[in-house]
Amino acid sequence: MNRWIIGARPRTLPAAVVPVAVGTGAAVGQSPSGIIWWRVAAAGVVALALQIGTNYANDYSDGVKGTDSQRVGPVRLVASGLASAKAVKGAAFGAFGIAAIVGLALALAAGPWLILVGAAAIAAGWFYTGGPRPYGYAGFGELFVFVFFGLVATAGTTYVLLERFTGLALAVSVPVGFLACALLVVNNLRDIPTDTQAGKRTLAVRIGDGATRLLYVCLIGGAGVLILVIALVTGRQGIATGAMGPLIVGMPPQQAVMRQAKGRDLIPVLGGTGKVQLATGLLLTLGLAFSA
């Protein structure tokens, strides 16, 4: 596989695609002029570019700091010597640049204030592990993932399509954020031993192995329960189909985590969590669209 594809971390990309899809589903039937599809495509490009840029930035920052020198998970470009730090840093800036350019077009069409949101998202991607005081090393990674790949990406997609926020979009952004967080939680669960040795105080390191496993299950299961509650409160029963993702597709990775899978045995769980995100995103998007 091409080294740059490896560095982009394909298993994490559902975290970018799903909120855009769900935000689009929440906008269906809410505008007399219908969906503006170029804006959907642009939002997807922005989300993917931000995710890939963040992944490359994380690879670069951890590589130059030496915190990726002993890894259990997938290979990293800088730490493994597959690419120079300068090249990976350039790839990160290139991805962020694409997000900025396409995001600017969206902002000019839907609202200039979105430029500030985009700038904050890029800063969050870089300073996750970059800069003198990376917030990912202090245990705040999950909070930022929830905000930017849950609330902002989902409700923001609906906003650029309707040019207004809706309660429904904000509601469905919460389970989307839970699943995005679950991806980071299981990644950090796997890396507790090496992160502890490297001095990375992730949330998993701070709360410990057992609590992290419980948090993962609560995020997956909680996403399913929230989707059912939203369907009940809104009276849109089609939304409930989205709960099949966390509550059915999500069972194998949850079981693996609760059976104390460790180290490399958690790598398939990371892929399984991505599948849960994709299944939930597809089902929830269809449920939103057909129940509009």
Side-chain angles (χ1 to χ4, degrees):
M1 185 182 294
N2 184 284
R3 59 180 177 169
W4 294 107
I5 296 177
I6 294 173
R9 307 181 197 178
R11 289 179 176 176
T12 68
L13 299 187
V17 175
V18 167
V20 175
V22 173
T24 301
V28 171
Q30 302 300 308
S31 172
S33 58
I35 298 295
I36 305 174
W37 289 106
W38 79 262
R39 295 190 186 185
V40 176
V45 170
V46 170
L48 281 169
L50 284 172
Q51 179 68 65
I52 293 171
T54 299
N55 290 342
Y56 284 140
N58 176 232
D59 192 311
Y60 164 77
S61 296
D62 280 349
V64 297
K65 291 175 181 176
T67 55
D68 261 352
S69 56
Q70 296 187 20
R71 284 196 54 78
V72 176
V75 68
R76 294 291 179 257
L77 298 177
V78 176
S80 65
L82 286 175
S84 69
K86 181 179 180 180
V88 175
K89 183 179 182 180
F93 285 171
F96 287 144
I98 291 171
I101 293 169
V102 179
L104 178 61
L106 274 176
L108 293 175
W113 67 272
L114 291 172
I115 295 173
L116 297 177
V117 177
I122 291 173
W126 178 258
F127 290 109
Y128 171 58
T129 55
R133 300 184 65 180
Y135 66 86
Y137 288 7
F140 295 107
E142 286 78 2
L143 174 61
F144 279 77
V145 164
F146 176 75
V147 170
F148 285 101
F149 286 96
L151 305 183
V152 172
T154 308
T157 297
T158 303
Y159 181 88
V160 299
L161 296 177
L162 303 178
E163 298 186 21
R164 59 184 171 87
F165 289 109
T166 70
L168 178 61
L170 289 170
V172 295
S173 72
V174 176
V176 169
F178 277 13
L179 294 178
C181 285
L183 197 69
L184 181 58
V185 166
V186 74
N187 182 78
N188 288 342
L189 171 65
R190 181 199 64 214
D191 292 342
I192 285 178
T194 53
D195 283 348
T196 300
Q197 185 176 358
K200 294 171 66 173
R201 299 284 292 169
T202 63
L203 180 62
V205 171
R206 287 179 175 273
I207 66 178
D209 184 278
T212 302
R213 293 177 189 275
L214 180 60
L215 175 60
Y216 175 82
V217 172
C218 288
L219 287 170
I220 298 289
V225 171
L226 277 173
I227 291 170
L228 291 175
V229 170
I230 294 168
L232 179 64
V233 171
T234 61
R236 296 173 61 169
Q237 297 180 353
I239 296 175
T241 59
M244 295 173 62
L247 301 181
I248 297 178
V249 182
M251 286 304 297
Q254 289 181 84
Q255 289 172 347
V257 167
M258 294 313 292
R259 289 172 181 166
Q260 304 301 307
K262 294 180 181 294
R264 294 191 180 278
D265 291 336
L266 284 169
I267 295 176
V269 177
L270 186 65
T273 306
K275 292 177 182 177
V276 176
Q277 285 184 299
L278 284 175
T280 304
L282 174 62
L283 293 170
L284 184 53
T285 300
L286 292 174
L288 287 162
F290 286 106
S291 65

